[in-house]
Amino acid sequence: MVTRWTRKIVAFLHDPPGKALVLRSVPHTPHAQLAKALQQIALGRSADAHESDRATKADHIASAADRVNFPKGATAYWDQVAPLLTHPLAAGARAHRVQLPAGDLQALDSEVQEEAAQRILQPWVHQLTTQPDKEKCLYLYIWRLLYEELAHKASLKGWMRLLPADTRQPDHPLEQHLSISVAIADALPNPAFLVFSIGPVQEFIAAARRTQDLWMGSWILSYLSWKAMESLADEFGPDVVVFPSLRGQPLCDHWLHKAYGLPCQPALEEIGRPTFPNRFLALLPAKEASEAAQKAEKAVREEWKRLAQEVYNALTSTSILPADDQTKGLWDNQIQGLLEIYWVVFPWPGDDQPPGTAQAKAGKELYEQLCKPPEGEDWEFRRVYETLHKSGQYDPNWGTVWSLLYELADRAFNARKNLRNFEQAEETGDKCTQCGQRAALRSEKLDSRAFWDHVAKELRARGRHEVKPEGKERLCAVCTVKRFVQREVLEQEFGLRGGFPSTSEIAAAPFKKRVLEALQKGRPAVQQALKDFLNIAHPQLATVAQGAMPYLEAQTQSLTGAEAELAKKLLKIDGEWLHVESWTKEHLKEAGATSNPGDIRKAIETLQALYQAVGARPSKYYALLYMDGDHMGRWLSGTHEGLATFGDILHPEVREQLEEDANWHPLLQTRRLITSAVHAAISQSLGRFALRLVPHIVEERSPGRLIYAGGDDVLALVPLEDALAVARELRAAFSGHIRFENGSLQVCLGESVSGYVEWVEWGKEIFLTMGPQATASIGLVFAHHLQPLDLVLQAARRAEQAAKRQYGRNALAVEVLKRSGETVSVGTNWSYEGMPDVVKFLIDVTKRLREGQISGKWPYTVQAEAAALEALPEEAQRAELKRLLKRQAEQELSREEKEAQAEELSKKLVDWVRAMEQPQQNPDPCQADKESPKGFSEMSRWLLVCSFIARGGEV
């Protein structure tokens, strides 16, 4: 029987794995014959004529969308030319190529086909034979696991998943091409784009006074976005979601494992990371698209309502929440009124036309009618279209106009979103102390303060501390869900145990790290001081959940015996209690702990002894990092000036062939069109960045915690002393300027990309990055651990906007929110001409200040002389800075060391100032009236920031 799922199986297997190995100039087994053999194994029969016809038509459309319509005679068989991959995104990509370890093509081809057919596909078919939905299950296995299994078993390893769909244009993997072919095959004869989004985003996430609420707000939005995609994936298959790609996403893998038994269950920490954006693009049959969108919206609203109801039931059934009818009415209204969901369905025009040129023409004419592009050759698309149509081997089809269809869908969505749904909501009474938007929960007998005082007392009676006592925290229904849903619902359903570290814990993490290092070295003074302190502090204040600080927990693995027990207890004590000023009667009472005066004195004494034994104090400051990719809308729409040209993405042998053709030569210099392959490449690179690189940098290389990573945007808490290094590594990883050497990440940000390719090889994994033309801006805020989190969030977004607007993007901006009330704001681009890695230099300056190679007075001396330095010639500026550096160098350095240090730093500082003063190469026209801070004044403020970090804040 022909079903949706058998059509999908045939379409996915219309090309055999390792097609690039099969295609050779010498006699070989036709790839179509190998594909039919795999289809026979999967279906237990030959493909039906209808299935094959759909697959063929879909392949033609996907091929027209993804690759150049080559003229006859353009070839790049791997038995004749080097087996290369080209970068799909980066302009000037002649340097951005990688040569595959292809070896003996015939032997590799035989191995791949044997692995795919006999060791992977046949066992799956046998395993699923008795399942009632076996075709659907088999398709999901093939879509999710076939190429991953081949990467594990075939000798090509990770390179297996990167083998191209076409060796002439080796910029997109066959696996990607097959996925979009399947989506098109299912959507025929009339495909439609669905653009879908969920909000509110910033208001929902930013309404947080605890890090736990910040994380959970991000997770809920990511999860609800997934529920919309799950609704589509279950009915049509996960391939229909074009952006972001669902393959390998933790929530999608969890669903595949739980619902269909696929062996791809992700780790709990992966499920707990919010990684889905609030907007996605899907490709569906037009006749079913609107109904599917309505189902997706319903799935989101019902899941949000269910989560909220589960929280309400859990809190009321245990009498924690003293709810009555008034409470329930307020709860239901607030929960129901939260979500803003927008979607639009855009059917591809020309479904009444015969396949091929007529359908391409229908899409082009509709775009011309609605968007009024420039006349003649001023419209870039027209030049490309006519060249491909006249000189290419095949007629155009829908795939040829993919970029126009996507832009029309995007414009339609933006128009719909601008027609916002306005629903007036009137609520009386005290506002929620967290969001300040909705009324705090109350009952007929209890006002909001008394209501929440009751909640706090009930929680305290159970040894819980989610709410401050005496009604100091009063939450609305939405913020109540954010506060309690993890413990009351998600722990049972997803296994999301534990909590999120506080800002105090992040600030104190480096001190804990030093204590653990001292225990590893067997330092008895530290061990005794720690033991004395923990006898006072533990277990009353053991509120840090297991798993909250992965980096620190990994440090304890090598400890045994008494040291291991001490380390385990230390990690449970919140960093707040490592500061002597926290040990007051009032503060202990608020935390629900006993406050015996003798114990308080003893705690302070033992803490001071611990400081002395360790030789350090915990910092009172931490960093909040907010990263956002620059011009991501332009990347997705194909209008970014850094996007690869047609010539960049071709195999160099094919490019040389086409350069001799007068019709093709201009096209090779033209920026490529947006295609499904480009969308897939962006989705793949952002997905690997968010899922693998960001957690590694934030949580494994630093004692930080990731709040969310939704592709190009990242929000994370990191210790003050690690903030610059984490920011630098994230920026480098985003564009692929990293390498793993012996498992350790190395940064090459700002260096010449000659000799580097933008694929990261990490252990057995190989994945794409956005490439060197993609940039990102980061805002960093250094804040006191007791500063209100909502104010710090505002500052982080302010800093990120400053990086984009004042410093012209591809920049880092920092705000220092001192406890005294003073704010210091600085910024810089990541690199300048002649200074390729500015932040590396700043890290070096900070290290010298911390280690005492330079006096802490030096930054203040430079600041005092900044205005005078501005007026001097360049040589005099260097001489004066050199004099100040030599004078402020510490006595431990020899005369030669002082001289060398002063020479090096003075030159770099003046070069940096000169670079900052140069006009921006690509200024943002929207910010043309704003001048970025520059000169010695800006440089001297950076030195103050370095000094602040070196001192651990205001100590």
Side-chain angles (χ1 to χ4, degrees):
M1 181 183 296
V2 175
T3 67
R4 161 167 281 146
W5 307 106
T6 62
R7 285 200 305 267
K8 284 180 173 287
I9 290 172
V10 171
F12 196 90
L13 297 177
H14 80 262
D15 279 331
K19 175 186 173 184
L21 305 173
V22 177
L23 296 173
R24 296 190 291 276
S25 59
V26 296
H28 60 278
T29 304
H31 69 280
Q33 182 178 332
L34 295 173
K36 289 179 180 178
L38 291 177
Q39 292 168 356
Q40 178 75 39
I41 294 171
L43 300 178
R45 59 174 174 80
S46 298
D48 177 91
H50 168 75
E51 295 166 331
S52 297
D53 182 59
R54 278 282 189 98
T56 300
K57 289 178 179 177
D59 177 40
H60 291 168
I61 294 171
S63 297
D66 289 345
R67 65 192 75 146
V68 172
N69 185 7
F70 293 100
K72 288 184 178 180
T75 62
Y77 294 118
W78 279 3
D79 62 334
Q80 294 182 322
V81 301
L84 297 177
L85 299 181
T86 57
H87 198 279
L89 304 175
R94 295 189 185 201
H96 311 311
R97 298 172 181 150
V98 60
Q99 183 162 336
L100 296 177
D104 185 337
L105 296 177
Q106 193 162 356
L108 285 171
D109 174 34
S110 299
E111 177 199 11
V112 168
Q113 305 312 323
E114 184 177 353
E115 291 287 353
Q118 299 179 17
R119 296 189 178 89
I120 299 176
L121 196 54
Q122 283 183 348
W124 285 347
V125 172
H126 179 73
Q127 174 187 338
L128 300 172
T129 298
T130 59
Q131 291 205 194
D133 52 356
K134 61 181 181 181
E135 287 89 1
K136 181 178 183 179
C137 285
L138 180 59
Y139 171 69
L140 294 175
Y141 267 79
I142 292 171
W143 174 84
R144 173 62 184 88
L145 295 173
L146 177 59
Y147 282 77
E148 184 174 288
E149 288 293 309
L150 281 170
H152 290 318
K153 296 179 179 180
S155 57
L156 278 170
K157 301 300 179 185
W159 296 108
M160 181 67 219
R161 302 191 75 171
L162 299 178
L163 293 180
D166 192 317
T167 55
R168 295 168 296 180
Q169 184 187 321
D171 71 324
H172 59 289
L174 177 61
E175 187 179 20
Q176 289 179 2
H177 169 70
L178 297 176
S179 289
I180 195 65
S181 297
V182 171
I184 294 171
D186 191 52
L188 289 173
N190 185 15
F193 279 135
L194 166 65
V195 187
F196 191 105
S197 80
I198 300 173
V201 179
Q202 299 304 335
E203 297 91 336
F204 185 70
I205 294 175
R209 292 184 179 274
R210 295 187 177 197
T211 55
Q212 175 85 9
D213 299 330
L214 187 61
W215 166 59
M216 192 44 56
S218 303
W219 194 91
I220 290 171
L221 273 184
S222 175
Y223 173 67
L224 292 178
S225 187
W226 156 245
K227 293 305 290 185
M229 291 183 268
E230 180 193 349
S231 174
L232 302 177
D234 200 31
E235 184 173 356
F236 299 96
D239 53 88
V240 301
V241 180
V242 177
F243 188 91
S245 172
L246 296 184
R247 188 182 283 111
Q249 282 282 355
L251 284 173
C252 183
D253 280 354
H254 175 77
W255 165 70
L256 289 170
H257 174 75
K258 186 176 180 181
Y260 296 101
L262 271 69
C264 58
Q265 173 70 339
L268 292 179
E269 59 268 21
E270 293 177 336
I271 295 176
R273 292 175 185 141
T275 55
F276 277 123
N278 71 310
R279 171 173 162 166
F280 64 85
L281 173 71
L283 181 60
L284 301 169
K287 290 182 179 179
E288 302 175 69
S290 292
E291 183 181 353
Q294 292 169 8
K295 289 180 180 178
E297 178 175 353
K298 183 180 179 182
V300 172
R301 294 191 183 281
E302 288 186 347
E303 183 63 8
W304 166 241
K305 184 178 178 181
R306 184 190 73 83
L307 290 176
Q309 191 60 47
E310 292 283 352
V311 172
Y312 186 85
N313 292 343
L315 296 180
T316 54
S317 65
T318 54
S319 301
I320 292 174
L321 212 64
D324 59 14
D325 290 344
Q326 185 182 95
T327 313
K328 188 65 166 69
L330 195 57
W331 180 281
D332 290 343
N333 288 337
Q334 291 177 349
I335 295 300
Q336 183 176 349
L338 174 70
L339 296 179
E340 299 171 1
I341 298 178
Y342 302 96
W343 54 266
V344 67
V345 169
F346 177 76
W348 290 6
D351 63 306
D352 57 343
Q353 301 294 320
T357 305
Q359 290 182 333
K361 184 178 179 182
K364 180 170 171 286
E365 288 178 346
L366 180 62
Y367 183 90
E368 292 172 326
Q369 176 186 344
L370 296 176
C371 300
K372 307 296 182 185
E375 296 293 332
E377 292 204 355
D378 289 339
W379 185 24
E380 189 174 85
F381 176 84
R382 182 180 285 116
R383 298 200 311 271
V384 174
Y385 182 87
E386 289 178 356
T387 299
L388 296 177
H389 186 20
K390 292 176 182 178
S391 306
Q393 187 174 357
Y394 303 105
D395 290 333
N397 59 41
W398 266 327
T400 314
V401 294
W402 176 285
S403 61
L404 305 185
L405 301 178
Y406 170 74
E407 185 176 342
L408 288 171
D410 189 54
R411 290 188 179 213
F413 174 79
N414 290 332
R416 168 63 188 92
K417 195 170 182 180
N418 287 334
L419 298 173
R420 293 186 177 273
N421 304 325
F422 292 99
E423 295 182 9
Q424 189 170 358
E426 294 185 5
E427 294 182 359
T428 59
D430 293 345
K431 293 296 184 184
C432 172
T433 57
Q434 180 151 292
C435 68
Q437 298 174 355
R438 292 168 289 270
L441 293 177
R442 61 185 186 274
S443 66
E444 291 182 4
K445 295 181 180 180
L446 301 174
D447 64 14
S448 61
R449 187 172 293 274
F451 184 96
W452 282 99
D453 182 49
H454 172 93
V455 173
K457 289 177 179 176
E458 288 292 328
L459 290 171
R460 290 293 193 279
R462 294 164 173 78
R464 296 170 58 178
H465 305 86
E466 286 100 322
V467 178
K468 291 182 179 179
E470 300 175 357
K472 293 179 181 179
E473 273 191 299
R474 304 178 296 281
L475 305 180
C476 65
V478 173
C479 292
T480 301
V481 173
K482 288 168 64 175
R483 181 67 57 85
F484 290 96
V485 69
Q486 185 251 328
R487 178 160 182 164
E488 303 297 342
V489 183
L490 303 179
E491 184 173 324
Q492 290 74 36
E493 296 184 359
F494 290 94
L496 292 186
R497 294 183 296 274
F500 208 79
S502 67
T503 54
S504 301
E505 178 68 8
I506 296 293
F511 179 76
K512 286 189 174 182
K513 174 185 173 183
R514 289 178 175 86
V515 174
L516 294 175
E517 289 171 348
L519 292 178
Q520 289 170 340
K521 294 175 181 177
R523 291 169 55 184
V526 173
Q527 183 174 346
Q528 186 59 51
L530 179 61
K531 182 178 179 181
D532 292 342
F533 170 68
L534 292 174
N535 286 337
I536 300 296
H538 186 79
Q540 289 178 315
L541 305 173
T543 58
V544 180
Q546 185 176 357
M549 297 295 288
Y551 181 95
L552 296 179
E553 291 184 10
Q555 268 197 301
T556 66
Q557 299 304 309
S558 61
L559 294 173
T560 59
E563 288 86 355
E565 285 301 311
L566 287 173
K568 184 178 179 181
K569 292 178 180 180
L570 173 65
L571 294 193
K572 290 183 178 180
I573 303 297
D574 192 278
E576 180 179 8
W577 302 105
L578 295 176
H579 299 283
V580 294
E581 58 268 29
S582 297
W583 287 85
T584 65
K585 182 177 180 181
E586 296 74 16
H587 201 52
L588 286 164
K589 180 181 178 183
E590 187 174 298
T594 58
S595 54
N596 183 291
D599 286 345
I600 293 176
R601 286 194 300 272
K602 183 66 173 175
I604 293 173
E605 290 172 1
T606 56
L607 263 180
Q608 291 172 335
L610 184 59
Y611 298 162
Q612 186 173 359
V614 175
R617 287 173 173 262
S619 174
K620 297 176 184 177
Y621 284 80
Y622 71 99
L624 182 65
L625 180 151
Y626 178 46
M627 172 178 174
D628 189 49
D630 296 327
H631 294 308
M632 288 309 301
R634 295 185 189 177
W635 282 107
L636 289 168
S637 64
T639 57
H640 196 283
E641 61 276 6
L643 190 63
T645 66
F646 282 101
D648 292 330
I649 58 179
L650 302 182
H651 192 288
E653 296 287 341
V654 175
R655 177 180 178 128
E656 288 180 12
Q657 295 171 35
L658 297 181
E659 280 179 339
E660 304 300 321
D661 189 318
N663 292 323
W664 283 84
H665 184 77
L667 179 67
L668 298 178
Q669 316 304 319
T670 303
R671 185 171 56 212
R672 72 176 306 179
L673 301 175
I674 194 71
T675 68
S676 57
V678 174
H679 279 147
I682 294 173
S683 181
Q684 177 192 357
S685 59
L686 293 182
R688 292 296 92 190
F689 173 71
L691 289 167
R692 298 289 286 114
L693 294 176
V694 175
H696 177 68
I697 292 168
V698 174
E699 296 184 349
E700 295 177 21
R701 290 177 58 81
S702 160
R705 274 306 300 268
L706 180 62
I707 297 169
Y708 70 76
D712 66 303
D713 56 339
V714 175
L715 187 65
L717 297 161
V718 292
L720 176 65
E721 67 178 42
D722 295 330
L724 291 180
V726 169
R728 175 174 175 260
E729 290 178 5
L730 288 175
R731 168 62 188 87
F734 184 73
S735 58
H737 287 91
I738 59 170
R739 286 294 167 269
F740 283 90
E741 296 179 8
N742 298 320
S744 179
L745 185 147
Q746 305 294 321
V747 171
C748 51
L749 182 65
E751 297 177 13
S752 170
V753 295
S754 178
Y756 291 99
V757 291
E758 277 46 66
W759 291 264
V760 173
E761 187 170 2
W762 184 13
K764 296 181 179 179
E765 289 188 275
I766 303 168
F767 46 85
L768 188 72
T769 69
M770 286 290 294
Q773 302 298 331
T775 63
S777 297
I778 289 180
L780 270 177
V781 174
F782 302 155
H784 193 278
H785 69 111
L786 297 181
Q787 200 136 14
L789 184 58
D790 55 342
L791 298 181
V792 181
L793 273 169
Q794 292 173 24
R797 298 196 182 280
R798 196 164 57 236
E800 181 268 336
Q801 286 299 303
K804 289 181 180 290
R805 295 174 179 175
Q806 290 180 257
Y807 299 92
R809 291 183 168 82
N810 193 26
L812 168 69
V814 174
E815 276 198 28
V816 182
L817 305 180
K818 294 186 178 181
R819 190 67 164 168
S820 61
E822 178 189 0
T823 299
V824 178
S825 299
V826 290
T828 179
N829 291 107
W830 297 102
S831 61
Y832 297 96
E833 185 70 31
M835 195 166 189
D837 194 342
V838 173
V839 179
K840 181 181 181 181
F841 170 68
L842 293 172
I843 293 170
D844 178 54
V845 170
T846 304
K847 181 174 180 288
R848 293 174 192 250
L849 287 164
R850 182 186 296 119
E851 294 178 353
Q853 298 176 42
I854 308 174
S855 168
K857 297 178 182 179
W858 172 63
Y860 298 93
T861 306
V862 174
Q863 185 189 40
E865 295 197 18
L869 285 166
E870 289 279 9
L872 297 176
E874 184 173 330
E875 285 303 315
Q877 291 170 341
R878 289 181 180 174
E880 178 59 12
L881 281 173
K882 184 176 178 180
R883 183 185 71 82
L884 294 176
L885 278 160
K886 289 168 68 176
R887 193 178 74 182
Q888 297 293 341
E890 290 298 331
Q891 297 305 313
E892 287 77 5
L893 298 180
S894 67
R895 171 185 267 183
E896 291 76 14
E897 288 171 332
K898 290 179 182 180
E899 180 72 26
Q901 175 176 265
E903 182 71 32
E904 176 191 358
L905 295 185
S906 61
K907 182 181 185 305
K908 287 184 177 179
L909 288 170
V910 173
D911 288 348
W912 181 24
V913 169
R914 290 285 167 261
M916 282 194 285
E917 291 174 341
Q918 296 300 315
Q920 295 178 23
Q921 291 184 351
N922 298 299
D924 188 338
C926 299
Q927 304 298 326
D929 58 331
K930 295 187 178 181
E931 242 186 89
S932 64
K934 54 191 176 184
F936 279 85
S937 175
E938 183 79 357
M939 181 268 283
S940 66
R941 286 199 299 276
W942 265 113
L943 297 182
L944 293 177
V945 169
C946 292
S947 176
F948 183 87
I949 298 171
R951 290 181 288 112
E954 293 178 328
V955 294

